[in-house]
Amino acid sequence: MSSEHTIDWEALRAAALAATEHSYAPYSGLAVGCAALVDDGRVVVGCNVENASYGLTLCAECTMLGALHLGGGGRLRAFVCVDGAGAPLTPCGRCRQLLFEAAAPGMLLATASGPRTIDELLPDAFGPSALPAR
Ligand code: THU
């Protein structure tokens, strides 16, 4: 779907919108879907999964990252998140942290103001390099 240098943002948006169809959001009513291009060319998707114990809700990014690892791992080059009408959503703070750890260098995230790097959305991030060597 994408050469090494081009990102098919429309295809990612379409995949994210299709993922909203699987959302389980009876409490907030906000269906969320996301999609990312992996560095081997795969596209992984996720949807939000809410719970009656509200704080246990899984954001769409969480289920997408499970799919990333179940499908063989890899690093994310580009990411899109949308609501059920296709409007862009910017990841919450927790999900920025999760995405940071799965990001390829220079990973881009679609936002309402255009593509942004993960470093713009999570400056001076805490990450694996802050942990002691083991
Ligand atoms: N949500 C996501 O799926 N991703 C985000 O980055 C922000 C919020 C979901 C969680 C919850 O099901 C709904 O949006 C309302 O917060």
Side-chain angles (χ1 to χ4, degrees):
M1 98 164 224
S2 165
S3 80
E4 199 173 326
H5 300 291
T6 61
I7 295 165
D8 188 342
W9 289 107
E10 281 316 310
L12 284 179
R13 270 186 206 102
L17 184 58
T20 67
E21 298 290 324
H22 300 281
S23 161
Y24 175 70
Y27 307 109
S28 74
L30 179 66
V32 181
C34 64
L37 174 64
V38 185
D39 55 4
D40 64 2
R42 276 153 52 227
V43 171
V44 288
V45 300
C47 66
N48 57 334
V49 179
E50 297 187 345
N51 191 274
S53 179
Y54 294 171
L56 300 185
T57 286
L58 302 176
C59 286
E61 291 87 339
C62 298
T63 62
M64 185 194 78
L65 289 172
L68 171 71
H69 290 283
L70 284 164
R75 296 273 166 181
L76 307 181
R77 291 189 53 218
F79 170 85
V80 169
C81 188
V82 299
D83 69 15
L89 294 172
T90 310
C92 74
R94 178 177 187 269
C95 290
R96 292 180 197 203
Q97 182 72 36
L98 292 171
L99 291 167
F100 174 78
E101 191 143 336
M107 173 192 178
L108 292 171
L109 299 90
T111 75
S113 55
R116 306 268 209 124
T117 65
I118 187 69
D119 299 314
E120 284 178 283
L121 292 183
L122 194 68
D124 300 323
F126 177 87
S129 66
L131 296 173
R134 43 168 297 173

